[in-house]
Amino acid sequence: MAEETIFSKIIRKEIPADVVYQDDLVTAFRDINPRAPSHILIVPNVLIPTINDVTEADEAALGRMVTVAKKLAAEEGIADDGYRLIMNCNTHGGQEVYHIHMHLVGGKPLGPMLLG
Ligand code: AMP
């Protein structure tokens, strides 16, 4: 069994977070250390430690993460100017929390590809 992270506690509402969306498959909340005017994390409700652990059984949640990103980008008012979706994997990818998450980042020109 993979070890739970703080994100599981946020999903279960056991610790405070600025949750902006939740349904049966995913939860979205504002990043505690925003790197842009809009910085939201979208996570599956089930614990998947890294992208390397994803299976076909997770496809519904992963698809939902993208449709929720689109919806939240529109709500944040950043859809037309544009934004970036980022998923980091393991140490070289800069992953810090081992519960997969998609960063929705926008609200300013983001420059070159990498999130510094
Ligand atoms: P990553 O480097 O892709 O694993 O990103 C992890 C992200 O989680 C970072 O941007 C952190 O700022 C964010 N983070 C860590 N703890 C919390 C928390 N309790 N609430 C919201 N965001 C968090």
Side-chain angles (χ1 to χ4, degrees), residues 39-103:
H39 188 170
I40 293 171
L41 301 176
I42 305 161
V43 309
N45 292 341
V46 295
L47 170 56
I48 306 166
T50 80
I51 293 290
N52 291 337
D53 302 304
V54 163
T55 71
E56 286 182 12
D58 302 314
E59 286 176 355
L62 290 161
R64 185 72 58 83
M65 287 164 71
V66 176
T67 54
V68 168
K70 172 201 156 180
K71 167 185 152 59
L72 293 175
E75 287 177 10
E76 293 284 298
I78 61 174
D80 289 345
D81 283 337
Y83 52 90
R84 189 168 289 154
L85 302 178
I86 302 164
M87 296 183 79
N88 296 323
C89 182
N90 278 339
T91 51
H92 282 197
Q95 185 173 4
E96 293 170 1
V97 179
Y98 283 79
H99 181 137
I100 65 167
H101 48 280
M102 178 179 285
H103 297 256

